[in-house]
Amino acid sequence: MFHLDDVTLIYDIDKTNKVYAIKNITTTFPDHGLIGIIGPSGSGKSTLMYCMSTLKKPTCGEILYQEKDIAISYTNMSKKDQEQLRKSKFGFVFQRHFLISYMSALENVIVAANCSKGEAMSRAKELLQKLGIKQSEFSKKPHQLSGGQRQRIAIARAMLHEPSVLFADEPTASLDHTTAFATMDLLLEYAKKHLVLIITHDGSILKDADQIIEIWDGSILDREATI
Ligand SMILES: Nc1ncnc2c1ncn2[C@@H]1O[C@H](COP(=O)(O)OP(=O)(O)OP(=O)(O)O)[C@@H](O)[C@H]1O
Ligand SMILES: [Mg+2]
């Protein structure tokens, strides 16, 4: 579970044109469920996700991540501990997929595996298959794949180590509707036991989300439970 207390991130703080990317956000997130984050371009969605995942340090405010009895506060957390937290608990699908160009699709999925290679391979194949990637595509390099295939490989990579929290920034942006919905089904299944945060501009993929958060100009405008 996350607790955010009055979290603000200001970019270019030392310049005249300061940007309040997120402003005084106080909220909580449960330890499982699929939560959609929507809002106009530039409203602070990615920034919120970067702060929650320790990739960016808020200018002020506190973030607490708690799993079972262990509560971790981000205030004054060392870079090393942040890295450890990300590696062990968080999975990321970025707006840009960041696949490694000289590795095959399958190698890209297992690149950061923290289990044996055999185990990683079988889990990777299962995930790719669930995401609709054919076996004939496993050995292709990213430049030989379509944008949507690359995106799904990035999703499989993020899910490989079964993170407690999956942060996904526009994970279905390059997918056709049918593939987007199939991908969402996999993420919804995953969200039964884990927290899945999805940023999207396409509200229709959030029809089965547990909650939708609307961000406007750095603040949470609305938060609705859809079920
Ligand atoms: N590195 C940066 N330096 C300065 N300003 C930034 C930086 N990154 C983002 N911003 C600004 O912070 C605000 C929030 O950006 P953010 O990337 O969080 O928006 P977003 O809601 O994810 O937008 P999009 O839907 O386009 O991805 C924007 O005004 C953006 O211009
Ligand atoms: Mg963004």
Side-chain angles (χ1 to χ4, degrees):
M1 163 186 131
F2 282 94
H3 180 70
L4 281 73
D5 190 14
D6 213 10
V7 176
T8 296
L9 189 142
I10 308 170
Y11 288 112
D12 298 331
I13 194 159
D14 47 351
K15 298 196 182 139
T16 38
N17 289 332
K18 293 184 186 56
V19 180
Y20 282 78
I22 50 172
K23 278 187 266 193
N24 309 107
I25 291 191
T26 297
T27 192
T28 56
F29 291 86
D31 56 10
H32 63 93
L34 190 141
I35 300 187
I37 301 175
I38 56 170
S41 181
S43 57
K45 306 179 297 296
S46 296
T47 304
L48 174 66
M49 203 174 255
Y50 293 152
C51 289
M52 289 177 66
S53 58
T54 75
L55 290 173
K56 283 216 173 5
K57 189 175 164 49
T59 311
C60 51
E62 194 184 5
I63 301 175
L64 203 80
Y65 172 68
Q66 173 146 22
E67 199 174 69
K68 298 194 180 84
D69 300 333
I70 306 160
I72 301 169
S73 163
Y74 289 8
T75 319
N76 304 324
M77 194 179 185
S78 74
K79 291 257 178 241
K80 199 160 173 264
D81 288 346
Q82 289 183 344
E83 193 184 317
Q84 191 49 40
L85 178 67
R86 288 198 297 272
K87 265 194 194 159
S88 58
K89 302 289 176 198
F90 301 161
F92 295 92
V93 182
F94 291 105
Q95 250 177 316
R96 290 181 55 211
H97 52 70
F98 298 118
L99 297 181
I100 299 167
S101 60
Y102 58 84
M103 286 187 176
S104 71
L106 191 57
E107 285 165 345
N108 260 289
V109 177
I110 65 166
V111 68
N114 53 9
C115 53
S116 74
K117 192 165 179 197
E119 235 176 283
M121 285 284 233
S122 63
R123 185 160 159 75
K125 286 178 182 169
E126 188 189 328
L127 280 166
L128 287 172
Q129 190 222 334
K130 282 186 181 163
L131 286 159
I133 303 288
K134 295 193 199 85
Q135 202 159 351
S136 56
E137 275 137 12
F138 289 3
S139 58
K140 288 188 180 169
K141 303 266 162 59
H143 74 274
Q144 298 168 312
L145 297 160
S146 72
Q149 287 166 339
R150 288 197 285 262
Q151 200 159 31
R152 283 175 284 159
I153 288 155
I155 295 171
R157 178 181 60 185
M159 294 175 78
L160 190 82
H161 64 298
E162 253 203 283
S164 303
V165 187
L166 183 64
F167 294 98
D169 202 344
E170 298 273 3
T172 62
S174 315
L175 305 180
D176 61 82
H177 251 82
T178 312
T179 316
F181 282 117
T183 302
M184 286 306 292
D185 284 345
L186 179 70
L187 295 175
L188 280 161
E189 182 61 34
Y190 194 73
K192 285 183 183 162
K193 290 196 182 140
H194 309 87
L195 178 62
V196 179
L197 284 175
I198 295 191
I199 294 177
T200 182
H201 285 282
D202 177 8
S204 72
I205 64 159
L206 297 176
K207 64 180 174 51
D208 296 317
D210 297 297
Q211 278 182 39
I212 296 176
I213 294 177
E214 201 178 336
I215 302 216
W216 189 272
D217 206 9
S219 302
I220 293 180
L221 187 70
D222 197 13
R223 186 163 185 164
E224 59 181 77
T226 53
I227 52 169

